[in-house]
Amino acid sequence: MRSFSSAVKFFGLLIPIIAAPAFASGLISGQELDTQIRQKLETIGLSGTPAVNPKRQFAACSSDLEISPLFGNWKTVSVRCPDEGGWQIAVRTRIEAAEPAAGNKAAKPGQKSRKVGLANPPRGGATQDEAKAMLHVAALSRPFKRDEVITPDDIIMISVKKANASGMFPQGDDLIGRKVKKSISAYRPVYARQLFMPWMITAGQEVQIEVEIAGIAVSVLGIAEENGQYLDWINVRNARSGKRVNAQVAGPKKLTISTKKY
């Protein structure tokens, strides 16, 4: 009972504001959420087994749920109720079908698909041993200055010796959305030290804080007081009451509270 009452104190009057309409208009079950995610995946040629508890209940949403990919792929999706004061969760899809190769773009009708090319492909006469000693790593197609953000169109792959690849990025997708800390030349390997740490939540950012109470997912607007990576525990305060609590980073702009911690 202590964990329940502590969560109630933190969320305050939000519970009657959110939960009451949910009971009036019905609830969305985890099973229904699972079905909608599967249907969304099917529209893009994928299939999966969403990691959703079928018994979990969510507040009803008067608008259609918005389902979109997180982290640049469909392995994890964001499910959002766009209603005012609505909720948002991140769900692992456990997709079974292969996604399009990283760096490829969907081709328009009548066009061939474009792949990320190698800036310096191995020479045709390279020996098998020489080829094994090389590694493809990410580079940029143009010079970058501090605070610029890398997009998929900026990324190319170049070939370097494996022995020199420490701190580089063999997966080009790992650069998407990263902010540059030091100037980077074009067609040169990108090093981790040249980029800012990719915090999922940053101090001062508005976030949604969610807790499950009696089977109902309740959320409230909060302000993060620390930077945090995925699954980190950070301090956050209720934007309305100012009460501070420790919550876990569950996705972009989303934290969850475990009632077991109270």
Side-chain angles (χ1 to χ4, degrees):
M1 289 301 293
R2 184 183 177 189
S3 62
F4 180 88
S5 61
S6 297
V8 170
K9 288 180 181 179
F10 178 78
F11 281 84
L13 298 177
L14 183 73
I15 293 176
I17 292 174
I18 290 182
F23 285 113
S25 305
L27 297 170
I28 299 175
S29 69
Q31 183 61 54
E32 184 177 348
L33 209 62
D34 177 282
T35 299
Q36 291 200 37
I37 294 173
R38 288 173 185 264
Q39 291 174 343
K40 180 65 176 181
L41 292 175
E42 288 176 0
T43 65
I44 55 173
L46 298 174
S47 62
T49 308
V52 181
N53 183 345
K55 296 182 180 180
R56 187 174 179 183
Q57 301 290 315
F58 300 87
C61 189
S62 61
S63 306
D64 291 337
L65 295 180
E66 296 179 354
I67 302 174
S68 57
L70 282 178
F71 317 125
N73 59 59
W74 290 90
K75 293 178 181 178
T76 305
V77 296
S78 164
V79 182
R80 188 175 79 90
C81 171
D83 290 354
E84 184 176 356
W87 47 268
Q88 181 177 7
I89 62 169
V91 178
R92 288 182 293 108
T93 58
R94 296 184 287 205
I95 54 176
E96 300 163 2
E99 293 191 72
N104 289 0
K105 290 190 173 183
K108 295 180 180 179
Q111 291 184 338
K112 295 181 179 180
S113 61
R114 182 173 66 85
K115 295 184 178 181
V116 173
L118 296 178
N120 54 344
R123 301 185 307 276
T127 67
Q128 188 173 11
D129 287 342
E130 287 176 331
K132 288 182 178 180
M134 304 301 287
L135 180 70
H136 295 154
V137 298
L140 301 175
S141 60
R142 64 177 180 84
F144 266 69
K145 297 179 181 179
R146 180 184 172 91
D147 291 334
E148 285 192 274
V149 177
I150 300 171
T151 71
D153 289 338
D154 299 318
I155 301 169
I156 60 174
M157 302 301 288
I158 63 175
S159 184
V160 300
K161 291 183 178 179
K162 286 184 180 179
N164 300 331
S166 177
M168 300 180 190
F169 294 86
Q171 301 296 327
D173 282 355
D174 291 340
L175 295 184
I176 297 174
R178 297 289 295 272
K179 183 182 288 188
V180 173
K181 181 165 62 174
K182 298 180 179 180
S183 295
I184 303 175
S185 300
Y187 301 100
R188 298 287 185 180
V190 178
Y191 292 86
R193 65 176 181 270
Q194 296 173 306
L195 307 174
F196 283 106
M197 180 69 74
W199 299 112
M200 183 167 284
I201 299 290
T202 56
Q205 179 182 354
E206 286 191 353
V207 295
Q208 287 293 323
I209 312 165
E210 181 181 298
V211 66
E212 187 171 322
I213 302 175
I216 305 297
V218 183
S219 65
V220 64
L221 182 66
I223 306 296
E225 296 193 336
E226 299 176 88
N227 297 328
Q229 301 277 29
Y230 182 58
L231 298 182
D232 282 351
W233 288 90
I234 64 173
N235 288 322
V236 60
R237 71 176 185 276
N238 185 316
R240 175 181 293 183
S241 68
K243 182 176 175 61
R244 185 178 288 105
V245 71
N246 196 242
Q248 188 175 36
V249 178
K253 298 184 179 181
K254 179 192 171 184
L255 296 100
T256 57
I257 293 176
S258 171
T259 55
K260 294 179 181 179
K261 290 177 68 68
Y262 292 90

